[in-house]
C-alpha cells in the first residue's frame, strides 16, 4: 500500500465513512458472474483468487468426496456477500476465521455472507468444508464428472470444477494450487504440477500435488484410479510425469507409444513457442469412455479412444501446444477460443510437415478446397463463434487456416517471431483475439484489420488468396488430402 496524503477535508470525510455501520449503501453483493457474455453466470464478481489449497479424500467404491478448500483472495469491491461456483454439499464456511452464512442459488452458486462486510482491497481467507457424491450432481442438466471402474476424473471445458472444489470458475481468475488427495492404498491420485510428497495412514495414501504457476480453474484436474506412473526428464531439462490406467486393454501400447514422447515433443515445440512455461510436463490416460482430450495444465488428459487406431503423436502435440497457447497465455473471455484451438491445431500442422505427412500450406489448401462456399463450416466465425459453436470443427480448421493466411501475409520471419513472442508477451496472463491482432501488427509492422476480419469474423467463405488460386481450384476433392489429415481430425471428440 502507498501511504496517501489527504487534505484535511478528506480526512474528516474518511473518518465519517468509518463511522457508518456495516449496512452502508456502498456495500453490495459480488456479481454471480465474472462478466463473460457466453456464460453470464460463470465465475463471480468482487474478488480475485491467488491460491487454492484443496485437501480432499475420495472413495472410488462409493464416489464419496470430502474436502476442505482454503481460498486466498483479495476483494476488488466492498462486499456484503460473494459467490463461489460449486455443486457439492457444504457444511461450513469461514471467512477470515469467522463462521459465515451461506446458501445456494441459481444453477451452481454458493452465496457466502460474511459476519462483517469485506472492504475493497483486503486479503480474505475463505475456508469451505464440504462432502458429496459428485456423480449425483448436475447443473443445467449436465455433469462433467466422469466415474471410471476404479476411480473418477475431473477434466472438461469450459467447466469441471463445480463437481470437486468451490471456485471463481473462469479463466480470467487464475491462481496457484496445492491439491492434496487421500485415496485407498493401492489407488493413485493425480493432479497438476509436481508431486511434493505422499504419505500413508490407516489404509489411505495421500498425494500432495503443487502447481506454482497461475492456472485456470478448468485446467485444474483430478484423477483417481489404478495407474502406472512413469517419470523422466526431457533432453531440454523438463521433468515429465505420465500415468496410464492399468485398465487400458488394447489401447495400452498405443497410448504409451504416444504419451511417452511428451518430453521430445515439448522440446520440439519449444523451438517454435519458446521455453516451456511450467516446472513439469506430462499426461495421463485414465479408463474413461469419453472421446476428447484436454490440455489440463502440465498434466494433459487423454481419452483412451485417442489411441484406438494406434499411436497418435498428433493429439499429444495439440495438447502440449496448449501449454503455451491456452494455459500460460489464457483467454480473457470464452469468445477468444481461437487463440487456444487455432494455434493448437496449427501446431499439429507443423508436426505433420515435420513428419513428412503434408505441409501446413497443403493442409490449409485442403481445408479451403474441401468445404464448398455453401458449407455451414463457413458460417462459424472462429474469432467469435458463440457458445454453441465454441468447439466446432471450424474453430480448429478454419482457425488454423486463418493462421496460415496470417503467415502468408506477414512472411515467415515475422510470423515465427509472433509465434514465439506471443507466449512471452503474455506469459501466465490473459489475452484476447484483439490483443493478438495488435501484437501481430506491432511485430509485422502491417495493418491486419482486413485479414483478421475476413478469416476470423465473417460468416462466409473468404475469396481464395491470390497466391493460392492456382493450387486451390475451389472444386471439392481437387486438392489432395494430406496423409496426416485423418489423424488430425480425430483429435476432436472421438465418438
Ligand atoms: N480443448 C480441448 C481440445 O481441443 C477440447 C475440449 C472440448 N470439450 C469437450 N467436452 N469435448 O483439446
Ligand atoms: Zn485444443
Amino acid at each position: 500500500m502507498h501511504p496517501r496524503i489527504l487534505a484535511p477535508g478528506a480526512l474528516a470525510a474518511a473518518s465519517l465513512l468509518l463511522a457508518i455501520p456495516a449496512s452502508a449503501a456502498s456495500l453490495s453483493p459480488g456479481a454471480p458472474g465474472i462478466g463473460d457474455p457466453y456464460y453470464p453466470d460463470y465465475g463471480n464478481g468482487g474478488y480475485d483468487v491467488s491460491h487454492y489449497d484443496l485437501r480432499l479424500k475420495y472413495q472410488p467404491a462409493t464416489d464419496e468426496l470430502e474436502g476442505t478448500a482454503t481460498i486466498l483472495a483479495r476483494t476488488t469491491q466492498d462486499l456484503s456477500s460473494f459467490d463461489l461456483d460449486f455443486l457439492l454439499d457444504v457444511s461450513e464456511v469461514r471467512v477470515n476465521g469467522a463462521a459465515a452464512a451461506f446458501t445456494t442459488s441459481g444453477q451452481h452458486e454458493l452465496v457466502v455472507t460474511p459476519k462483517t462486510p469485506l472492504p475493497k482491497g483486503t486479503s480474505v481467507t475463505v475456508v469451505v468444508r464440504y462432502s458429496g457424491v459428485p456423480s449425483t450432481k448436475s447443473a443445467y442438466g449436465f455433469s462433467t464428472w466422469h466415474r471410471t471402474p476404479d476411480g473418477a476424473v475431473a477434466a472438461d471445458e469450459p467447466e469441471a470444477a463445480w463437481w470437486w472444489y468451490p471456485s471463481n470458475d473462469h479463466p480470467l481468475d487464475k491462481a496457484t494450487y496445492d491439491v492434496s488427495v487421500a485415496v485407498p492404498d493401492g489407488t493413485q491420485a493425480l493432479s497438476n504440477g509436481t508431486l511434493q510428497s505422499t504419505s500413508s495412514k490407516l489404509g489411505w495414501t495421500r498425494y500432495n500435488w503443487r502447481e506454482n504457476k497461475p492456472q485456470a480453474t478448468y485446467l485444474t484436474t483430478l484423477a483417481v484410479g489404478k495407474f502406472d506412473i512413469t517419470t523422466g526428464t526431457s533432453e531440454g531439462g523438463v521433468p515429465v510425469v505420465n500415468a496410464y490406467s492399468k485398465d487400458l486393454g488394447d489401447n495400452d501400447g498405443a497410448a504409451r507409444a504416444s504419451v511417452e514422447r511428451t518430453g521430445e515433443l515439448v522440446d520440439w515445440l519449444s523451438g517454435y513457442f519458446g521455453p516451456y512455461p511450467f516446472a513439469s510436463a506430462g499426461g495421463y490416460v485414465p479408463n474413461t469412455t469419453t472421446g476428447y482430450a484436454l490440455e489440463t495444465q502440465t498434466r494433459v488428459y487423454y481419452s483412451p479412444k485417442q489411441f484406438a487406431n494406434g499411436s497418435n503423436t498428433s493429439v499429444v502435440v495439440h495438447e502440449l501446444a496448449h501449454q503455451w497457447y491456452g494455459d500460460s497465455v489464457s483467454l480473457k473471455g470464452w469468445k477468444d477460443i481461437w487463440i487456444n484451438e487455432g494455434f493448437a491445431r496449427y501446431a499439429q500442422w507443423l508436426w505433420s510437415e515435420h513428419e513428412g505427412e503434408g505441409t501446413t500450406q497443403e493442409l490449409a489448401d485442403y481445408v479451403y478446397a474441401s468445404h464448398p462456399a455453401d458449407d455451414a463450416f463457413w458460417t462459424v466465425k472462429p474469432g467469435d463463434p458463440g457458445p454453441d459453436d465454441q468447439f466446432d470443427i471450424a474453430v480448429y480448421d478454419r482457425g488454423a487456416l486463418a493462421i496460415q493466411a496470417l503467415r502468408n501475409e506477414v512472411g515467415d520471419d515475422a510470423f515465427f517471431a509472433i509465434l514465439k513472442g506471443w507466449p512471452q508477451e503474455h506469459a501466465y496472463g490473459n489475452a484476447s483475439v484483439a490483443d493478438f491482432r495488435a501484437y501481430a501488427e506491432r511485430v509485422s509492422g502491417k495493418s491486419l484489420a482486413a485479414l483478421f476480419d475476413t478469416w476470423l469474423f465473417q460468416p462466409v467463405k473468404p475469396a481464395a488468396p491470390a497466391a493460392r488460386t492456382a493450387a486451390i481450384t475451389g472444386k471439392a476433392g481437387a486438392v489432395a488430402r494430406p496423409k496426416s489429415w485423418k489423424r488430425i481430425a480425430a483429435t476432436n471428440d472421438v465418438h
Side-chain angles (χ1 to χ4, degrees):
M1 291 295 296
H2 301 282
R4 288 173 55 194
I5 299 162
L6 295 172
L11 244 178
S15 45
L16 195 73
L17 269 178
L18 288 174
I20 294 174
S23 57
S26 66
L27 283 168
S28 55
I34 208 165
D36 190 315
Y38 281 17
Y39 304 99
D41 60 352
Y42 283 29
N44 304 291
Y47 64 94
D48 184 14
V49 177
S50 59
H51 186 74
Y52 292 92
D53 182 284
L54 310 177
R55 194 171 171 86
L56 313 174
K57 188 175 183 181
Y58 182 72
Q59 173 53 266
T62 56
D63 192 37
E64 284 171 291
L65 180 68
E66 228 176 83
T68 301
T70 303
I71 302 170
L72 308 185
R74 204 170 173 79
T75 53
T76 56
Q77 68 174 70
D78 292 342
L79 281 173
S80 53
S81 68
F82 62 89
D83 286 18
L84 288 161
D85 300 299
F86 198 42
L87 291 175
L88 298 186
D89 310 317
V90 173
S91 58
E92 183 185 14
V93 179
R94 285 184 173 268
V95 177
N96 293 338
F102 58 91
T103 185
T104 56
S105 127
Q107 290 289 321
H108 52 79
E109 303 292 313
L110 172 68
V111 184
V112 177
T113 307
K115 198 169 264 171
T116 47
L118 306 170
K120 177 180 175 173
T122 51
S123 299
V124 182
T125 302
V126 183
V127 177
V128 182
R129 280 184 205 285
Y130 57 93
S131 62
V133 177
S135 57
T136 64
K137 306 289 182 184
S138 65
Y140 311 99
F142 70 79
S143 166
T144 68
W145 179 257
H146 306 295
R147 277 189 88 177
T148 63
D150 54 15
V153 172
D156 217 317
E157 184 181 14
E159 65 292 282
W162 311 340
W163 286 267
W164 67 287
Y165 70 99
S167 74
N168 189 15
D169 192 22
H170 192 277
L172 257 186
D173 193 357
K174 298 163 79 166
T176 54
Y177 284 76
D178 277 301
V179 178
S180 169
V181 194
V183 292
D185 287 347
T187 294
Q188 283 78 38
L190 304 164
S191 188
N192 313 83
T194 304
L195 183 62
Q196 304 286 301
S197 60
T198 59
S199 62
S200 255
K201 204 170 115 186
L202 301 170
W204 292 80
T205 305
R206 180 168 286 282
Y207 293 80
N208 301 304
W209 294 90
R210 165 168 292 180
E211 175 50 49
N212 61 3
K213 291 285 191 260
Q215 177 168 282
T217 44
Y218 83 98
L219 297 172
T220 307
T221 193
L222 171 69
V224 173
K226 294 189 191 308
F227 286 96
D228 177 30
I229 297 178
T230 68
T231 59
T233 303
S234 80
E235 242 175 53
V238 178
V240 179
V241 178
N242 296 318
Y244 307 90
S245 166
K246 290 180 178 164
D247 182 25
L248 292 181
D250 289 349
N251 296 330
D252 186 81
R256 288 173 193 258
S258 315
V259 178
E260 285 301 302
R261 293 183 64 180
T262 294
E264 171 202 341
L265 297 173
V266 161
D267 290 350
W268 180 76
L269 284 167
S270 300
Y272 288 105
F273 299 154
Y276 181 71
F278 304 117
S280 179
Y284 69 95
V285 193
N287 42 349
T288 41
T289 54
T290 52
Y292 60 91
L294 187 70
E295 61 269 26
T296 37
Q297 189 160 311
T298 69
R299 197 118 305 108
V300 169
Y301 161 70
Y302 297 101
S303 158
K305 290 191 180 174
Q306 292 288 342
F307 310 107
N309 297 313
S311 67
N312 184 356
T313 45
S314 189
V315 69
V316 178
V317 165
H318 180 105
E319 305 309 337
L320 292 177
H322 276 309
Q323 302 303 309
W324 287 263
Y325 281 82
D327 294 12
S328 173
V329 185
S330 299
L331 37 74
K332 275 184 179 165
W334 284 109
K335 71 171 169 46
D336 299 313
I337 191 69
W338 168 71
I339 301 200
N340 289 12
E341 302 306 344
F343 287 83
R345 175 65 100 227
Y346 198 79
Q348 292 177 276
W349 289 11
L350 290 166
W351 180 243
S352 164
E353 183 162 332
H354 175 267
E355 294 289 277
E357 296 187 337
T359 66
T360 62
Q361 189 63 63
E362 284 163 355
L363 283 152
D365 290 348
Y366 183 71
V367 168
Y368 187 90
S370 61
H371 296 283
D374 61 357
D375 189 327
F377 179 85
W378 301 107
T379 65
V380 177
K381 303 175 280 179
D384 188 4
D388 291 344
D389 288 329
Q390 204 188 324
F391 298 104
D392 190 273
I393 192 77
V395 173
Y396 293 72
D397 288 345
R398 188 179 166 182
L401 175 60
I403 294 168
Q404 184 67 29
L406 169 69
R407 177 173 169 181
N408 293 340
E409 175 79 15
V410 301
D412 277 7
D413 286 356
F415 175 75
F416 287 109
I418 292 164
L419 212 54
K420 195 178 275 190
W422 174 256
Q424 291 288 339
E425 183 79 3
H426 294 283
Y428 312 120
N430 297 82
S432 65
V433 175
D435 294 330
F436 185 86
R437 193 190 111 192
Y439 180 75
E441 288 182 333
R442 181 145 56 84
V443 174
S444 68
K446 289 194 164 189
S447 167
L448 300 170
L451 181 101
F452 271 67
D453 187 58
T454 303
W455 294 91
L456 292 178
F457 291 99
Q458 290 300 325
V460 292
K461 184 173 184 173
R468 304 305 311 157
T469 36
I472 309 164
T473 67
K475 275 183 262 153
V479 174
R481 189 170 75 187
K483 201 164 164 252
S484 59
W485 180 257
K486 273 181 80 177
R487 181 74 77 210
I488 292 173
T491 305
N492 300 72
D493 233 326
V494 190
H495 294 285

